[in-house]
Amino acid sequence: VFDIEQTTGEPIQTLAPEILTAAVEDFDLFLEAIREISPVPIRFDAIEGSANGYYHNLDKEIVIKKEMSQTLKTAIHETAHARLHDKEIMESQGIEKDRLTKEVEAESVAYCVCSAFELDTSEYSFPYIAGWSSGKEMRELKASMDVIRKTAGEMIDELTEKIEMMLEQKQEKLLAAVEAAGYRFAKEESNSQHLQFIPDGTH
């Protein structure tokens, strides 16, 4: 076994998670939808150390580091913790999980949910999951697969419903404002990506 400093040659890929930097379309809308489906309140605060966020088992809240680039992924990760790994819920169901299992489940759920909404977190999630699962047996990882699939599926369905509802409300407000300004909505000339307005001749 050699320390990396004792080696020479091209840099090797490590398991250090890459920070997510891509911008997210409709960020505020997506974050509000996550807040809606979270079983506990979400707030932003300064966090010491390397953690981007955490679920507080006693205070029943999610805290996310302020002003960072991976807020949505972290919010989904911590919401998965709140749903799956709340201490009281696990005790009532007679479930015991170590920290490795909890982190693999939460980040896997976050990756699946983000992927469903075309937010690619693979550069962060894959090394993160690999790092936490490296000491696990395959049977232990398989035991988490159903939990991950079920939780991710539920969150995707709930988020889709919330986002569609919020977009509908947003469009209704927009239509009312535009009509008040002397235009009407030309439905036959519009699609989900482009709304067409024309001057209202009766105004």
Side-chain angles (χ1 to χ4, degrees), residues 113-155:
V113 173
C114 287
S115 294
F117 292 96
E118 299 182 355
L119 175 59
D120 183 12
T121 70
S122 57
E123 286 188 4
Y124 183 95
S125 295
F126 289 178
Y128 186 97
I129 293 167
W132 280 104
S133 62
S134 59
K136 307 294 285 182
E137 295 290 335
M138 185 55 66
R139 67 177 181 278
E140 294 175 289
L141 293 173
K142 285 181 177 178
S144 290
M145 292 302 171
D146 279 344
V147 172
I148 293 166
R149 178 192 54 78
K150 181 175 182 292
T151 306
E154 289 171 353
M155 290 180 70

Side-chain angles (χ1 to χ4, degrees), residues 29 163-179 185-188 190-197:
L29 190 78
I163 290 170
E164 286 176 353
M165 189 186 312
M166 292 161 74
L167 284 172
E168 197 174 306
Q169 292 170 349
K170 189 176 177 182
Q171 184 171 312
E172 286 172 4
K173 289 179 182 177
L174 175 65
L175 292 179
V178 173
E179 286 172 359
F185 176 48
K187 190 173 183 180
E188 64 280 358
S190 301
N191 56 52
S192 61
Q193 302 298 316
H194 181 86
L195 301 183
Q196 183 74 30
F197 297 96

Side-chain angles (χ1 to χ4, degrees), residues 36-53:
E36 291 275 338
I37 71 162
S38 172
V40 298
I42 296 176
R43 69 177 176 87
F44 292 86
D45 205 345
I47 297 177
E48 296 289 330
S50 60
N52 294 322

Side-chain angles (χ1 to χ4, degrees), residues 4-10:
I4 193 168
E5 299 300 327
Q6 296 173 285
T7 65
T8 59
E10 293 295 315

